[in-house]
């Protein structure tokens, strides 16, 4: 994508998410925000004007609600690569774990399953477009304008670990594709994804009937009391919340509507995984494989026998696993199966894992 305009990407919002916010809303913290209601894209305002009808339509459905698939692409900068001791496997594990936590929340609240389809790790600060950028707004500009060859995503996220200035630690487009979040504060990522999925802050004046809560004060030019007179924080409020707290029904409706318009249903069992080449690993390494888009979990099988006699099978929610149980110095045959509520794929092709002792 070329150019610096944001007009086709949705509404750019600034929300100052304090860097001390615990990883998954462990304790409520105040958050400052500079979002302007009047700048929201027209389609979001139109959705708000008909939200009661949308909610009634969603409530009237009697069939079990389907899960929808959101593909996530991630950028990681060279400073994070160095911070993690140039261990790409450790970075991949962190990214997959964070997105899986966010996915579990949105699966429960809005029937959205998220999978990471790509992770771009910049290893040389000479070619790192994020090098020297220390404010989330220019970071977002870099993310939007970075040339790509792979468009296998619905949302793109830049996850950083370096200090940032200007007050804000996260920024996103409401109903848009892009967001910037700290890698090590997962609550921020979940909050930003809520905006990507179409939600205002819960104390925004743009909700039908006014703000959904008064947590942090009314956001916009409206009366100073919320529709529910609540000061309790939530995922989309400015004063934090807890990971177990459900979304407000109006926020749920907006996010579900975004998913219905933008994300495909998961309607079949997952495709088989294709493993790439034999590997040489050290016990305890994290081994990841290409994602199977519709999968909700995987079975990882290994055996010293090529026909998998006496195989050991481990189940994981991630498309990767720690190699902890193998005997050092042994060679293992490895295969993977993808699973969801519709069934399981065939076993993948078989590769060999040459397990080697850690160098002295």
């Amino acid at each position: 994508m070329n150019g610096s305009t944001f007009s086709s990407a949705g509404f750019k919002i600034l929300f100052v998410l304090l860097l001390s916010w615990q990883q998954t809303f462990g304790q409520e913290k105040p958050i400052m925000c500079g979002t302007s209601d009047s700048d929201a894209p027209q389609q979001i305002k139109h959705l708000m004007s008909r939200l009661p009808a949308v909610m009634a339509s969603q409530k009237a459905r009697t069939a079990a609600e389907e899960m929808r698939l959101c593909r996530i692409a991630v950028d990681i900068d060279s400073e994070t690569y160095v911070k993690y001791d140039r261990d790409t496997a450790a970075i991949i594990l962190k990214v997959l774990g964070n997105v899986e936590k966010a996915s579990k929340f949105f699966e429960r609240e809005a029937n959205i399953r998220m999978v990471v389809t790509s992770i771009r790790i910049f290893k040389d600060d000479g070619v790192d477009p994020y090098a020297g950028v220390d404010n989330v707004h220019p970071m977002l500009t870099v993310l939007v304008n970075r040339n790509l060859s792979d468009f296998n995503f619905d949302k793109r996220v830049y996850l950083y670990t370096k200090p940032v200035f200007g007050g804000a630690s996260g920024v996103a487009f409401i109903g848009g594709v892009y967001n910037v979040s700290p890698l090590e504060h997962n609550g921020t990522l979940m909050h930003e994804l809520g905006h990507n999925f179409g939600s205002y802050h819960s104390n925004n004046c743009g909700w039908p009937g006014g703000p959904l809560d008064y947590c942090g004060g009314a956001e916009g030019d409206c009366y100073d009391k919320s529709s529910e007179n609540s000061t309790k924080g939530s995922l989309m409020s400015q004063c934090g919340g807890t990971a177990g707290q459900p979304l407000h029904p109006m926020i749920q409706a907006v996010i579900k509507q975004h998913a219905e318009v933008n994300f495909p249903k998961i309607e079949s069992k997952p495709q088989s995984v294709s493993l790439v080449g034999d590997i040489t690993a050290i016990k305890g390494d994290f081994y990841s494989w290409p994602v199977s888009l519709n999968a909700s979990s995987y079975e990882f099988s290994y055996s010293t026998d090529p026909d998998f006699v006496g195989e050991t099978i481990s189940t994981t929610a991630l498309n990767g696993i720690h190699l902890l149980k193998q005997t050092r110095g042994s060679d293992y045959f490895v295969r993977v199966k993808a699973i969801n509520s519709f069934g399981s794929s065939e076993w993948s092709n078989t590769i060999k894992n040459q397990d080697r002792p850690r160098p002295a």
Side-chain angles (χ1 to χ4, degrees):
M1 180 177 294
N2 297 318
S4 59
T5 179
F6 295 133
S7 61
S8 64
F11 166 45
K12 178 180 179 183
I13 89 165
L14 163 65
F15 40 122
V16 177
L17 301 170
L18 299 182
L19 294 177
S20 59
W21 194 2
Q22 293 183 354
Q23 184 163 353
T24 14
F25 303 107
Q27 181 179 358
E28 293 185 8
K29 299 285 185 180
I31 302 169
M32 297 172 60
C33 178
T35 303
S36 173
D37 299 344
S38 61
D39 291 335
Q42 192 59 42
Q43 63 268 29
I44 296 295
K45 295 179 180 179
H46 178 64
L47 174 59
M48 291 299 173
S49 69
R50 59 188 183 91
L51 189 54
V54 170
M55 293 176 67
S57 175
Q58 291 177 350
K59 188 175 181 180
R61 296 171 189 165
T62 55
E65 292 188 89
E66 66 279 348
M67 195 68 67
R68 294 189 176 260
L69 179 69
C70 176
R71 304 164 300 165
I72 306 290
V74 175
D75 274 13
I76 299 290
D77 62 39
S78 57
E79 291 186 48
T80 296
Y81 177 63
V82 172
K83 179 178 180 178
Y84 276 72
D85 296 322
R86 295 176 170 82
D87 187 344
T88 57
I91 295 171
I92 291 169
L93 173 59
K94 182 67 172 177
V95 170
L96 295 181
N98 283 4
V99 173
E100 178 64 19
K101 289 176 185 177
S103 182
K104 291 301 182 187
F105 178 84
F106 285 106
E107 287 174 42
R108 185 190 76 205
E109 293 297 309
N111 302 310
I112 299 173
R113 169 71 179 163
M114 291 183 283
V115 297
V116 178
T117 52
S118 68
I119 303 175
R120 175 65 164 96
I121 302 175
F122 291 94
K123 299 181 180 181
D124 180 355
D125 59 5
V127 296
D128 179 1
Y130 301 101
V133 185
D134 58 8
N135 182 294
V136 295
H137 298 94
M139 287 173 174
L140 187 63
T141 301
V142 173
L143 178 65
V144 170
N145 293 323
R146 195 169 74 75
N147 290 327
L148 298 173
S149 58
D150 181 8
F151 293 90
N152 184 30
F153 61 83
D154 301 295
K155 307 297 178 185
R156 276 188 64 213
V157 183
Y158 166 42
L159 299 175
Y160 68 89
T161 57
K162 59 188 171 183
V164 294
F165 301 92
S169 64
V171 64
F173 293 104
I174 291 184
V177 173
Y178 304 96
N179 89 55
V180 173
S181 301
L183 174 63
E184 295 170 342
H185 295 80
N186 205 45
T188 306
L189 172 63
M190 294 167 65
H191 181 97
E192 303 286 355
L193 286 167
H195 285 297
N196 284 150
F197 295 155
S199 177
Y200 290 152
H201 284 122
S202 53
N203 61 320
N204 192 288
C205 291
W207 294 102
L212 305 179
D213 63 49
Y214 192 51
C215 185
E219 185 178 78
D221 186 15
C222 61
Y223 53 84
D224 62 357
K225 294 186 181 298
S226 75
S227 58
E228 297 188 5
N229 233 4
S230 170
T231 58
K232 188 175 182 180
S234 65
L235 174 70
M236 299 312 299
S237 71
Q238 293 190 65
C239 55
T242 60
Q245 189 174 341
L247 293 174
H248 187 282
M250 285 192 182
I251 295 177
Q252 276 189 325
V254 166
I255 292 177
K256 287 181 178 180
Q257 180 68 13
H258 180 86
E260 289 176 9
V261 172
N262 294 281
F263 306 146
K265 296 178 186 179
I266 297 176
E267 298 180 298
S268 61
K269 65 182 183 180
Q271 294 183 341
S272 297
V273 175
S274 179
L275 301 181
V276 182
D278 294 343
I279 59 173
T280 299
I282 297 170
K283 187 172 183 177
D285 280 355
F286 183 75
Y287 169 59
S288 61
W289 51 84
V291 69
S292 177
L293 285 181
N294 288 355
S296 57
S297 64
Y298 298 86
E299 288 185 351
F300 176 82
S301 169
Y302 65 92
S303 174
T304 56
D305 185 274
D307 295 321
F308 290 88
V309 175
E311 68 183 331
T312 299
I313 298 177
S314 301
T315 300
T316 174
L318 307 180
N319 54 307
I321 196 167
H322 279 293
L323 302 174
L324 295 173
K325 299 180 180 179
Q326 291 82 354
T327 302
R328 289 182 179 177
S330 299
D331 291 346
Y332 289 87
F333 296 93
V334 169
R335 59 183 180 176
V336 174
K337 178 186 291 186
I339 300 168
N340 68 12
S341 60
F342 290 94
S344 60
S345 71
E346 300 297 326
W347 284 108
S348 70
N349 57 307
T350 299
I351 65 168
K352 183 183 287 187
N353 169 25
Q354 299 176 318
D355 192 89
R356 294 292 176 261
R358 190 172 297 278

